[in-house]
Amino acid sequence: MTDRLDLLVIGECVADIVRLPGAADQVHPGGSPANVAYGLARLGRNTTLLTQLGPDDNGRLIRNRLTAAGVEVRSDGATAPTPSAAVTLDDGGRATYVFEITWTLAPGTPPRSPHHVHTGSVAAVMEPGAASVLAGVKALRESATVSYDPNVRPELMGDHATAVRGVERLVALSDVVKASDEDLEWLYPGEAPEDVAERWLATGPAVVLVTRGGDGALAVLPGGPVAVGAPRTDVVDTVGAGDAFMSGTLHALASHGLLGPDGRERLRALDRATVTDVLRHAAASAAVTVARAGANPPDEPELRAALARF
């Protein structure tokens, strides 16, 4: 697929060191924003990733994987080691993480003016780099649509109240927001995810998406919620599932002409049939990813095949 839409993802790369009982450690390229960029490129989208990569084996591994998929990788030249996360999987394939991450993204002009900007995860909350991310989003949103996924990592969020304020600040700057029910439970303990999504919607986004694992996903719009179930699949692990959902979402929105400065008003008038189609693309993308090891989202033929089985 080729089109004129340029997508910019701002955020961290992480080397996921996957640990399975009785097996040697396996290193997989990861990091939520990097996974989203990789997923978009796999689906044929023109994608640039603004990030940090260390001059080490993990950095080279990640860069090579991204560029092989077609991502244009731009680093700010930091020399700190490439961030890593030890990923332990339970018997159901669910992942827990122990992180070694620094994020010092330097202030500066993005590589070029994109049509859409995506950010989230550690990059949007960990200082001092988070300030550069926020400034970049503010500078670009007049000429680009914006998406955001908080992808909460409790160990890295810092003070809870400060983290919530930072998340809400980016929600208000975004056109499309995606969060898992687990993200929302950490941010707002005891509140129903749909209630949080409706409150976020009132602050600026055109749509708020809530993923619910095996229970599917929900889109909250001014006209009311739209839900889809999760495709049936044999789960190998859940690493990168939310990121594949995000790249599938953006791919579908782009296909419907809903990204970029010309798409913002159309986003505000989303109809239920279009939202359902977007959710199906996102859920199918996530289903492909959980059916195989690591953050390994589908390419376009694989996504089409998954949709046919949905």
Side-chain angles (χ1 to χ4, degrees):
M1 172 185 296
T2 58
D3 61 29
R4 67 176 189 84
L5 197 71
D6 285 322
L7 297 100
L8 173 66
V9 179
I10 307 175
E12 76 276 4
C13 294
V14 179
D16 289 335
I17 304 168
V18 179
R19 291 175 175 159
L20 295 167
D25 289 353
Q26 299 178 20
V27 180
H28 297 284
S32 178
N35 290 341
V36 173
Y38 181 73
L40 287 167
R42 292 264 292 163
L43 293 169
R45 295 294 170 185
N46 301 321
T47 307
T48 300
L49 175 66
L50 179 59
T51 190
Q52 291 181 309
L53 285 170
D56 49 32
D57 288 344
N58 287 340
R60 286 184 285 274
L61 175 70
I62 293 171
R63 182 184 290 274
N64 289 342
R65 186 200 197 210
L66 290 166
T67 56
V71 178
E72 182 179 348
V73 180
R74 298 291 187 95
S75 177
D76 71 347
T79 58
T82 299
S84 65
V87 184
T88 302
L89 303 175
D90 66 16
D91 292 340
R94 291 177 292 273
T96 56
Y97 299 81
V98 176
F99 296 93
E100 292 186 13
I101 291 180
T102 58
W103 177 246
T104 59
L105 187 73
T109 304
R112 60 171 173 266
S113 181
H115 300 104
H116 181 82
V117 181
H118 173 76
T119 193
S121 192
V122 176
V125 295
M126 181 175 282
E127 298 294 357
S132 299
V133 173
L134 180 63
V137 170
K138 285 181 174 179
L140 293 168
R141 72 179 307 271
E142 293 303 315
S143 58
T145 44
V146 177
S147 57
Y148 171 58
D149 175 7
N151 190 47
V152 168
R153 296 290 180 245
E155 305 90 339
L156 302 174
M157 299 296 287
D159 174 72
H160 184 269
T162 302
V164 170
R165 286 195 296 272
V167 167
E168 291 176 345
R169 188 161 50 236
L170 275 163
V171 166
L173 291 170
S174 299
D175 300 286
V176 179
V177 177
K178 171 254 169 189
S180 71
D181 51 4
E182 293 178 345
D183 293 337
L184 299 181
E185 174 60 27
W186 187 87
L187 290 165
Y188 308 100
E191 293 194 45
E194 188 173 332
D195 291 344
V196 175
E198 288 176 351
R199 189 165 69 247
W200 279 3
L201 190 72
T203 68
V207 59
V208 177
L209 309 176
V210 180
T211 59
R212 304 184 291 185
D215 293 327
L218 182 75
V220 175
L221 307 159
V226 177
V228 298
R232 294 185 63 181
T233 188
D234 294 326
V235 176
V236 173
D237 69 47
T238 62
V239 177
D243 306 324
F245 186 98
M246 190 76 244
S247 57
T249 294
L250 296 177
H251 175 65
L253 289 172
S255 296
H256 283 285
L258 296 170
L259 298 185
D262 297 334
R264 178 167 279 142
E265 289 306 312
R266 290 192 290 275
L267 262 178
R268 304 270 163 195
L270 274 174
D271 60 83
R272 298 177 72 85
T274 301
V275 173
T276 300
D277 183 66
V278 170
L279 285 173
R280 290 182 74 253
H281 276 76
S285 180
V288 172
T289 303
V290 302
R292 53 199 190 191
N296 190 4
D299 60 19
E300 197 170 13
E302 288 173 327
L303 181 55
R304 287 198 303 269
L307 284 166
R309 297 189 300 268
F310 198 157

